[in-house]
Amino acid sequence: MKLRLIAIGLILVGVGAVTLAVVQPTFGGSSGSKYITSTVTTGTVSAQSVATGTIAASTVYGLRFGSMPDIVSSASTTSGSGGTTSSNSSSTSSSTSLTWPVQTVAVTVGQRVTKGTTLATADATAAQLQLASAQATLASAQAKLTTDQGGPDSVTLAQAKNSLSQASNSYSQAKANQTNTNQQNALSLSQAQAAVTAAQNQLAADQAGGALQAQIDKDNAAIVQAQQSLASTQLKVNQSNQQAAQQVTSASLSYQAGQLQYQAKVAPAASATILADQAQVASAQTSVNSYQSAVTAATLVAPADGLIIAVNVLPGVNAPSAYAVEISVGPMVATASFAESDISNLKIGQTATVSVTGAKVSVPGTLTQIVPVASTSSGSSSVATYAVTVTLTSPPLTVLSGMSSTVTVTTASVDNALRVPATALQGSATAGYTVQVLNSGS
């Protein structure tokens, strides 16, 4: 009897009857054919995809003094093979500009730690000084913002009014001085003119009375002297009046400047000024937060349970700008490259078995990431592969990052299937397969 198989080597049955499948015929000396047979069994048949990969921690943290922990590498990246992340820029820039004398180092490479464990400490004096300076800058910026938002205080107003009053008094005094000067100069000029007139009248009287020539000469000399005095007085009057006018002009300008200054001090701040003040406060607050974080980070603590993989500091020595301590945290993952022929059968959430060569163990896992972008090998075959990440379930401590692994993913499974040896199959993948089954008693 021949049975045609719909799937390769699989026949679904409802009962567990014992059947003999013909593996191959044998021909002996008798007239009848003899067959080598194998018992057909029922059970679960699975299809699997297999690839080699590498074990890694899902996340590696780098810790430096004065900075928040950085994720140095992570298996959960779009590249599928781990990646690096940028560090905390603000805290890092603050910490790297400071000196961190290391005080204690409490861990060694290979040590397992729990979240919150103190790893190392450093002297935070430099950071504390910077924090105090940043706090003073913040206080100044906040005070300016408060003043600009609320207007000038009573002391400032009183000072502004006093300055304006002094400028006004100076202007009034300059104008009064100008008036007095003009009046005095007008009197002096009038007196000089009167002296000239009197000398001229004296000459005319002496000439009419027949005075001697000596008297006439004396009168002419008096007239010349009076005219010279008038000219000198006129010059002095002009200079004096100009000086008085200049003093009034100067006092007027000072008064106008005082009015503008007064208005500037008592007027509310412009919206642009308030916005600028708020920006200064925000910037100063950022600096305070950064240095406060730096002070706190003078003590390095484990961000999660994990394994110490690097310690780059020693007590009594200034810490480098690079990471002081690096810690890998779970769960452990296996990253493998599957061929393009397998990738369509792989789905997130499928179960997998990871055989770790170095640890000599097999660990169950779950497929957690498939990168949808292929990587092409550099060889002549140009085989396209896809990075697949499997998260291990409770691996033993002997499983370490960097170990080689074989990842087996179960892509399909059928229960209660007939299972026969591959040598019993007749046919091809395109035409289908058949298997010969011995009739009972034959």
Side-chain angles (χ1 to χ4, degrees):
M1 179 177 65
K2 278 189 177 181
L3 294 179
R4 187 170 184 81
L5 299 186
I6 298 175
I8 299 176
L10 300 182
I11 298 178
L12 303 181
V13 296
V15 296
V18 177
T19 305
L20 295 180
V22 177
V23 177
Q24 64 180 18
T26 60
F27 304 97
S30 63
S31 60
S33 298
K34 295 182 179 180
Y35 298 90
I36 298 175
T37 62
S38 176
T39 303
V40 177
T41 61
T42 60
T44 300
V45 176
S46 301
Q48 297 176 327
S49 295
V50 181
T52 58
T54 304
I55 302 296
S58 58
T59 305
V60 174
Y61 285 98
L63 291 84
R64 57 164 59 91
F65 290 108
S67 177
M68 299 295 292
D70 293 332
I71 297 179
V72 178
S73 64
S74 173
S76 300
T77 62
T78 55
S79 66
S81 58
T84 59
T85 62
S86 58
S87 60
N88 300 285
S89 59
S90 60
S91 60
T92 299
S93 61
S94 298
S95 65
T96 54
S97 63
L98 300 173
T99 300
W100 296 97
V102 180
Q103 294 178 326
T104 63
V105 178
V107 292
T108 58
V109 173
Q111 180 178 341
R112 294 191 176 274
V113 296
T114 57
K115 181 179 180 180
T117 299
T118 298
L119 309 179
T121 62
D123 185 353
T125 300
Q128 290 169 341
L129 291 175
Q130 292 295 331
L131 174 61
S133 176
Q135 289 172 333
T137 301
L138 174 61
S140 177
Q142 289 173 332
K144 186 177 185 303
L145 174 60
T146 301
T147 298
D148 289 342
Q149 287 178 328
D153 54 24
S154 58
V155 174
T156 302
L157 286 175
Q159 291 175 344
K161 289 180 179 179
N162 183 55
S163 297
L164 181 60
S165 177
Q166 290 178 352
S168 177
N169 291 337
S170 296
Y171 178 54
S172 298
Q173 184 64 42
K175 290 200 300 183
N177 291 341
Q178 183 186 35
T179 299
N180 292 335
T181 299
N182 289 341
Q183 291 175 351
Q184 291 175 359
N185 289 338
L187 178 60
S188 298
L189 185 59
S190 175
Q191 291 174 346
Q193 289 174 339
V196 171
T197 301
Q200 290 174 339
N201 291 336
Q202 183 64 45
L203 175 60
D206 289 342
Q207 287 176 338
L212 298 174
Q213 186 60 41
Q215 183 62 42
I216 297 301
D217 292 340
K218 182 179 179 180
D219 290 342
N220 285 328
I223 291 173
V224 171
Q225 183 178 2
Q227 289 175 335
Q228 290 176 345
S229 177
L230 174 61
S232 176
T233 300
Q234 184 67 59
L235 180 60
K236 292 179 179 179
V237 165
N238 291 340
Q239 292 177 344
S240 178
N241 288 341
Q242 288 177 355
Q243 289 178 352
Q246 289 174 352
Q247 290 176 353
V248 170
T249 300
S250 177
S252 176
L253 293 175
S254 297
Y255 180 49
Q256 292 175 6
Q259 288 177 318
L260 293 176
Q261 291 176 354
Y262 177 78
Q263 292 173 357
K265 289 183 177 181
V266 301
S271 58
T273 301
I274 298 298
L275 290 175
D277 291 346
Q278 291 172 337
Q280 289 292 332
V281 170
S283 176
Q285 184 65 64
T286 299
S287 295
V288 168
N289 293 344
S290 177
Y291 285 114
Q292 182 62 67
S293 297
V295 170
T296 302
T299 298
L300 301 183
V301 297
D305 296 352
L307 177 68
I308 301 299
I309 60 174
V311 177
N312 302 315
V313 289
L314 291 172
V317 180
N318 290 341
S321 58
Y323 296 120
V325 178
E326 293 183 36
I327 176 175
S328 65
V329 301
M332 302 294 284
V333 297
T335 302
S337 296
F338 281 81
E340 57 184 331
S341 58
D342 291 328
I343 203 66
S344 61
N345 297 321
L346 301 180
K347 301 291 185 295
I348 300 296
Q350 288 176 327
T351 59
T353 300
V354 180
S355 298
V356 186
T357 305
K360 298 180 181 180
V361 295
S362 292
V363 183
T366 303
L367 199 155
T368 53
Q369 180 175 264
I370 302 173
V371 177
V373 180
S375 299
T376 304
S377 64
S378 58
S380 58
S381 60
S382 298
V383 177
T385 59
Y386 292 81
V388 174
T389 300
V390 173
T391 300
L392 306 187
T393 302
S394 302
L397 298 181
T398 54
V399 176
L400 303 176
S401 293
M403 286 185 171
S404 299
S405 64
T406 301
V407 178
T408 303
V409 181
T410 301
T411 58
S413 178
V414 177
D415 295 329
N416 296 322
L418 291 178
R419 300 188 295 188
V420 299
T423 53
L425 300 178
Q426 301 176 16
S428 64
T430 55
Y433 292 92
T434 61
V435 64
Q436 290 182 337
V437 180
L438 285 180
N439 291 326
S440 177
S442 300

